[in-house]
Amino acid sequence: MLSYQFDWSIILSGKYFEWLLSGLKVTLQLSLAGIILSFLLGLIVAVMRMSHFSPIRWAAWAFLEFTRNTPLLVQIFFWYFGSYKFLPTAVNDWLNAQSFEFAAALIALTIYTSAFIAEDIRSGVLSIPKEQMEAARSAGFSYLRSMQYIILPQAVRITVPPLVNQFLNLAKNSSLAMTIGVMELTYQARQVESYTFKGFEAFTAATVVYLAISIIITFLVHQYNERVLKLHKAA
Amino acid sequence: MIQFTGVHKWFKQLHVLNDINLHVTPGEVMVVCGPSGSGKSTLIRTINQLEPIDQGSLVVDDMDLSDKKTDINKLRAEIGFVFQQFNLYPHLTVINNITLAPIKIRNTPKKEAEEQAMQLLIRVGLAEKRDAYPAQLSGGQQQRVAIARGLAMRPKIMLFDEPTSALDPEMIGEVLQVMQDLAKTGMTMVVVTHEMGFAREVAHRVVFMDAGTILEEAKPKDFFCNPQHERAKQFLNQLLTPMHGAGALCD
C-alpha cells in the first residue's frame, strides 16, 4: 500500500503558496522580457544574415553557429560567472544593484533563443516571392526599408507557428535560471520541497503552471493567427 | 526624358539588349512589342534599374544611371512601375498599399496621403474597395490598384510591363481604359504589351523588338499599315491573322 500522504493544502495557501506565486512572477518576467528581446534580436540577426555586405553576413553566421551549437546551461554560466570579467565596473555595479542573476539569465536566454528565431524568420523571408522586393524597390524604398515595411511583416506572419515553438522553449528553458540562483518557479518549487518534503505536490504544481503558461501562449498566438492570416493570404 | 545610347546587356552568354538607341520625350506614350524573349521586359526594367545595364549610357530624368553617384532610390521614387503580376503588398489594405510610399518616402502626412489615395481610387473606379485586402480583389481590380499605387508618388514616368497579360479576357478592358485615361493627362508612359488595339489607339510611337534589337520604330499607323521589317510583318500576321488578317489594325 501507498503510505505517502498527499497534502495539497500545504501548497495552495500560506507561506509556500506565496513562494510559488513569487516564483511564477519571476518566471513570467523572465519569459516575457526574453520573448520580446529575443524576437527583436532575432529580427536583426536575420536581416544581417541576409545582408549583401559579406562581413556582416559572416558575423551573423558565426553568431548563429556559436549560440545554436553550445548548451544553454553553459551560456547561462558564461554570462553569470564569466561576463563580469570583461564588463566595465560601472556596468557590473549597476547590474549588481538590480539583480545580476536575473540579468545574466535574461541575456543568455535572449541570445540563445534569438539564434533559432533568426533562422525561422530567415526561412520565412526566403519564402516571400522576390517580386515583393522588386515592387518595394521600384517604389523607391531602400533595401532595409523594403525589409522593414514589406518583406518582414509578411515573413513574420507566416513564421508565427515556428516562432510560438521558440517562445514556448524560452518559457520552459527559463527554469534553468535556478542554477544561478534566480528565484523563479522551479527554484521555489525546489525550496518548498526542501522545507516540506512534499516534492510530489510542489513539482506537480510547477508542472501545471508551466503547462498553463504554454497553453496560454499557444492560444493567444493562435487567435492572432486566425484573425490575421485569413485576410492576408497572399493574392 | 529617357535616353538610351548604345545600351547593351547580357545574361551570361545571352545578349538580351543589343545596341539599344531610343529617346522618349516628355508626355510621350511609347508601346514596346515583340515576341517573347525579345528583350522588351528587360528593356523596360533597365529604366528604373531593376536590371542594370552592362554597356552604353542610359539617362532618365536627367539622371545618369551609369553614374555610381546617382541616388537610385530617388530616381525610382519618380518612376511608377506596374508589373504583370500586380505585386500588391498582400498584408496591407488597398488604401495602405497606395499610401505606404508617399508616407514613408515623401513624408506626406497620413491624412493628406489618404485623401490623395481616395482621389486616385475614384479615378480607377475602386473607391469602395479602400479597406479590402488584395486577395479579395479580382485581377483587374488588383492591377487598377497597382496603377493607383504607382501614381500616388506623382511620378514623372509610368512604366507598364505587360500589365494585362495575367488577366482574364473580360478584365483587360478596364485596365486599358485606366491607362488610356492616364495617357490623356500627358503622362510619359512606356508600355510593354501585346494589346495592339491599345497601341494603335493610344501610343505615339511603337517600338518592335526581336532578339535584343530594336528592329522597327514608327508611328502606330505606319507600323500597322506598312511594317518595314520582315520579322515585324511575320509578328503582326501571327498576332492578328486568326481573326482579322493583318490589315485589321490599319484603317
Side-chain angles (χ1 to χ4, degrees):
Chain A
M1 276 300 286
L2 199 62
S3 59
Y4 185 79
Q5 294 291 313
F6 289 102
D7 183 2
W8 295 100
S9 63
I10 199 164
I11 58 154
L12 290 177
S13 59
K15 182 169 73 170
Y16 302 124
F17 176 74
E18 299 286 317
W19 286 6
L20 288 175
L21 202 62
S22 76
L24 171 62
K25 203 176 129 202
V26 175
T27 288
L28 287 178
Q29 284 168 344
L30 198 53
S31 301
L32 205 65
I35 284 172
I36 293 167
L37 293 176
S38 64
F39 178 67
L40 293 176
L41 184 60
L43 270 180
I44 293 168
V45 174
V47 173
M48 287 173 65
R49 182 77 179 83
M50 292 178 289
S51 168
H52 294 303
F53 185 56
S54 48
I56 289 182
R57 204 164 59 235
W58 293 334
W61 175 81
F63 171 85
L64 290 173
E65 294 307 316
F66 256 105
T67 36
R68 285 194 305 169
N69 295 318
T70 50
L72 174 57
L73 191 55
V74 172
Q75 292 186 32
I76 290 175
F77 286 165
F78 172 83
W79 289 105
Y80 185 60
F81 296 112
S83 68
Y84 70 90
K85 302 209 162 133
F86 62 79
L87 287 175
T89 322
V91 178
N92 272 327
D93 288 348
W94 184 79
L95 281 173
N96 276 320
Q98 316 298 313
S99 159
F100 189 59
E101 299 82 20
F102 186 88
L106 181 59
I107 291 169
L109 279 167
T110 296
I111 288 179
Y112 181 78
T113 313
S114 74
F116 294 92
I117 287 177
E119 286 297 79
D120 287 339
I121 290 176
R122 188 168 73 100
S123 57
V125 167
L126 293 178
S127 74
I128 304 294
K130 71 173 194 333
E131 286 79 9
Q132 285 292 311
M133 182 55 101
E134 283 190 347
R137 297 306 303 272
S138 297
F141 287 108
S142 67
Y143 174 79
L144 282 180
R145 294 282 171 228
S146 302
M147 276 286 174
Q148 181 185 354
Y149 297 125
I150 290 120
I151 306 300
L152 287 176
Q154 295 181 56
V156 168
R157 283 184 175 101
I158 54 175
T159 312
V160 163
L163 283 185
V164 181
N165 272 332
Q166 304 307 350
F167 293 159
L168 294 182
N169 280 338
L170 188 145
K172 292 181 289 182
N173 284 338
S174 72
S175 60
L176 288 175
M178 75 166 284
T179 57
I180 55 170
V182 178
M183 294 157 83
E184 45 68 72
L185 184 57
T186 309
Y187 180 100
Q188 296 291 13
R190 181 93 177 76
Q191 286 283 93
V192 172
E193 192 269 340
S194 303
Y195 277 72
T196 62
F197 301 106
K198 293 291 176 194
F200 184 87
E201 289 86 340
F203 284 103
T204 299
T207 303
V208 169
V209 173
Y210 279 116
L211 189 63
I213 293 174
S214 295
I215 289 172
I216 289 169
I217 293 177
T218 310
F219 177 77
L220 289 178
V221 179
H222 182 75
Q223 286 294 102
Y224 170 83
N225 221 7
E226 281 285 289
R227 225 184 50 204
V228 168
L229 279 189
K230 216 181 284 169
L231 283 172
H232 295 168
K233 239 186 305 165
Chain B
M1 198 92 209
I2 306 171
Q3 175 77 56
F4 287 83
T5 314
V7 169
H8 290 263
K9 180 174 178 65
W10 287 267
F11 285 138
K12 301 227 172 76
Q13 303 295 322
L14 190 66
H15 202 164
V16 281
L17 293 180
N18 186 355
D19 193 27
I20 301 293
N21 294 284
L22 196 62
H23 182 68
V24 183
T25 54
E28 187 175 18
V29 178
M30 177 180 283
V31 161
V32 183
C33 62
S36 13
S38 59
K40 52 195 193 306
S41 278
T42 309
L43 178 81
I44 199 173
R45 286 162 63 92
T46 60
I47 297 172
N48 74 345
Q49 225 185 40
L50 279 180
E51 302 286 355
I53 61 171
D54 292 328
Q55 203 185 351
S57 127
L58 175 51
V59 179
V60 180
D61 189 27
D62 294 330
M63 293 196 238
D64 183 354
L65 293 200
S66 47
D67 186 349
K68 288 263 180 289
K69 283 187 295 241
T70 298
D71 182 350
I72 192 63
N73 294 325
K74 193 159 167 272
L75 174 74
R76 284 170 172 159
E78 304 291 343
I79 303 177
F81 198 104
V82 176
F83 297 85
Q84 183 176 350
Q85 298 291 344
F86 335 129
N87 300 347
L88 293 178
Y89 310 133
H91 61 299
L92 298 178
T93 58
V94 163
I95 189 96
N96 290 337
N97 261 277
I98 298 172
T99 58
L100 184 68
I103 291 173
K104 301 297 183 189
I105 296 175
R106 294 252 198 266
N107 295 318
T108 311
K110 188 163 187 274
K111 195 161 166 283
E112 194 185 321
E114 287 187 347
E115 280 165 14
Q116 285 170 13
M118 275 317 292
Q119 292 187 350
L120 288 167
L121 279 176
I122 291 166
R123 204 161 136 193
V124 301
L126 289 171
E128 80 283 3
K129 297 292 185 189
R130 61 165 284 163
D131 296 318
Y133 282 90
Q136 298 167 319
L137 304 181
S138 72
Q141 290 172 331
Q142 288 191 51
Q143 193 62 300
R144 285 187 279 156
V145 172
I147 293 172
R149 177 177 69 175
L151 291 174
M153 291 292 275
R154 303 183 183 283
K156 296 178 180 158
I157 302 169
M158 283 290 283
L159 306 175
F160 296 84
D161 187 6
E162 303 207 27
T164 58
S165 299
L167 296 177
D168 291 339
E170 72 266 31
M171 294 177 178
I172 291 175
E174 66 194 51
V175 172
L176 292 179
Q177 186 61 51
V178 168
M179 290 167 62
Q180 185 163 8
D181 294 345
L182 183 60
K184 283 185 195 140
T185 66
M187 176 66 75
T188 308
M189 295 164 66
V190 179
V191 184
V192 172
T193 187
H194 294 296
E195 294 297 329
M196 291 300 121
F198 175 82
R200 193 193 57 168
E201 293 288 321
V202 182
H204 300 118
R205 211 153 29 124
V206 177
V207 167
F208 177 75
M209 286 184 76
D210 188 36
T213 314
I214 293 180
L215 290 184
E216 198 149 340
E217 192 187 324
K219 290 200 171 357
K221 193 165 172 12
D222 297 336
F223 178 69
F224 290 116
C225 297
N226 190 18
Q228 297 299 306
H229 205 280
E230 200 48 49
R231 190 69 187 84
K233 287 179 196 167
Q234 207 184 341
F235 175 78
L236 284 172
N237 270 323
Q238 274 169 358
L239 210 62
L240 303 166
T241 311
M243 298 283 288
H244 320 284
L249 284 165
C250 170
D251 43 41

